[in-house]
Amino acid sequence: MRTTLFAFAVIVGASGQAGANEPPIQGPADAACREQARAQVFTAPNPDRLSLWDLGSQIWHTCMAAYHGTGPNPGRQEQRF
């Protein structure tokens, strides 16, 4: 019984750590693009030999840009001080 509870606690704890390095989901487009990046990160072409994290980020950014049409921050003006 204790072994089963310990194994369950380890599995639940490990699954909670999967998104620990990611910021909270900001909307349905963000959630959909994250799922797309997770699904494609091992099958997407990687000619620049990016790390899996960087390749997933690139897939996510491409998805978000396509969702917004003009880029991740449409209408934003460059602000330099």
Side-chain angles (χ1 to χ4, degrees):
M1 178 74 175
R2 288 183 181 173
T3 306
T4 305
L5 289 175
F6 178 73
F8 180 73
V10 168
I11 292 170
V12 170
S15 66
Q17 294 295 324
N21 294 333
E22 298 178 3
I25 295 174
Q26 298 297 316
D30 183 24
C33 289
R34 287 183 192 205
E35 287 300 318
Q36 179 181 347
R38 285 186 191 109
Q40 294 179 355
V41 74
F42 291 110
T43 59
N46 190 4
D48 297 329
R49 298 181 185 217
L50 300 173
S51 69
L52 291 177
W53 181 266
D54 291 335
L55 181 61
S57 178
Q58 184 179 47
I59 295 168
W60 179 85
H61 280 93
T62 302
C63 176
M64 289 298 286
Y67 180 81
H68 288 293
T70 58
N73 294 314
R76 179 179 176 184
Q77 297 177 355
E78 193 68 30
Q79 297 179 357
R80 296 185 182 208
F81 298 101

